[in-house]
Amino acid sequence: AQSVAQPEDQVNVAEGNPLTVKCTYSVSGNPYLFWYVQYPNRGLQFLLKYITGDNLVKGSYGFEAEFNKSQTSFHLKKPSALVSDSALYFCAVRDFPYGNNRLAFGKGNQVVVIP
Amino acid sequence: GAVVSQHPSWVICKSGTSVKIECRSLDFQATTMFWYRQFPKQSLMLMATSNEGSKATYEQGVEKDKFLINHASLTLSTLTVTSAHPEDSSFYICSAASGSYNEQFFGPGTRLTVL
């Protein structure tokens, strides 16, 4: 079964500094990887995905993530954090062709950007 | 594109009553819809996967008779919480996907409070 680990509970970063949110995964087949962001009392907003191709994926709001097969990681990054980036971030993986299109989510990371 | 709506956005009900939550894909046909439950500051827990025109597949530990899922069309799935109790209070989120290779698009969520 597929699984995702987001090792940190909370990530604190000063506004303007680089932001990194860590994610590692485990699958039997090929990983389809996703990052979502959630604001309070809202559903999940899609940020970016890796299916195949370039290991560096660029997404919404200036976020990017790098797929590293050898380290089974898909860390989310942003060069310069904004206060409005404060939210809950989820990494998710789909195990292709196994898993029936089901996503496994990490526990989530609360990002706090300090003005 | 790829907008998913949920109705209602919040609902308060008395213990013992049933509550229906609708999930609609507004601009695409969703062959598969997913229902998740999220407790405060926790990750999403997949409850069930439903394919249009067939019975839902429930995750282990989720009561089929408690959480009735209907996916009668390619744009609508409903979750009915039957005989709701306070422990059913939670944030319920649906997502929709079209085809086997596409990402899930999430609804805004429904906050259920059972008194």
Side-chain angles (χ1 to χ4, degrees), chain A residues 32 34 36 38 41-46 49 51 88 90 94 96 100-103 105-108 110, chain B residues 32 34 36 38 41-44 46 49 59 91 93 97 99-104 106-109 111:
Chain A
Y32 286 6
F34 305 86
Y36 292 90
Q38 184 181 34
N41 293 311
R42 298 288 189 89
L44 273 64
Q45 294 180 31
F46 170 76
K49 67 179 178 181
I51 304 297
L88 192 56
F90 290 99
R94 181 191 163 196
F96 183 80
N100 291 325
N101 202 15
R102 292 155 67 200
L103 284 178
F105 284 86
K107 65 179 182 179
Q110 184 67 50
Chain B
T32 308
F34 304 83
Y36 296 85
Q38 186 181 29
K41 300 196 175 184
Q42 293 190 26
S43 189
L44 279 70
L46 180 64
T49 303
E59 296 298 302
F91 195 51
I93 303 175
S100 299
Y101 302 97
N102 295 332
E103 66 265 31
Q104 296 179 26
F106 287 81
R111 172 73 60 193

Side-chain angles (χ1 to χ4, degrees), chain A residues 13-29:
Chain A
V13 62
E15 186 177 23
N17 281 4
L19 169 63
T20 298
V21 189
K22 295 180 180 178
C23 170
T24 58
Y25 65 89
S26 174
V27 295
S28 300

Side-chain angles (χ1 to χ4, degrees), chain B:
Chain B
V3 178
V4 176
S5 70
Q6 277 184 244
H7 178 80
S9 55
W10 60 270
V11 57
I12 301 173
C13 69
K14 292 182 179 180
S15 185
T17 61
S18 294
V19 174
K20 180 183 285 188
I21 302 170
E22 292 185 349
C23 177
R24 293 182 184 272
S25 58
L26 299 184
D27 51 3
F28 69 101
Q29 293 186 324
T31 51
T32 308
M33 286 186 169
F34 304 83
W35 287 96
Y36 296 85
R37 185 173 179 177
Q38 186 181 29
F39 291 102
K41 300 196 175 184
Q42 293 190 26
S43 189
L44 279 70
M45 181 192 79
L46 180 64
M47 300 173 66
T49 303
S50 74
N51 293 296
E52 185 266 338
S54 61
K55 289 184 179 180
T57 301
Y58 289 81
E59 296 298 302
Q60 191 171 10
V62 178
E63 299 176 59
K64 300 178 183 181
D65 296 332
K66 174 77 172 175
F67 299 100
L68 301 178
I69 291 172
N70 183 278
H71 191 168
S73 77
L74 286 171
T75 59
L76 173 65
S77 176
T78 60
L79 167 68
T80 301
V81 183
T82 62
S83 187
H85 291 283
E87 58 266 29
D88 298 324
S89 298
S90 190
F91 195 51
Y92 292 87
I93 303 175
C94 74
S95 70
S98 63
S100 299
Y101 302 97
N102 295 332
E103 66 265 31
Q104 296 179 26
F105 296 96
F106 287 81
T110 297
R111 172 73 60 193
L112 170 63
T113 302
V114 185
L115 302 176

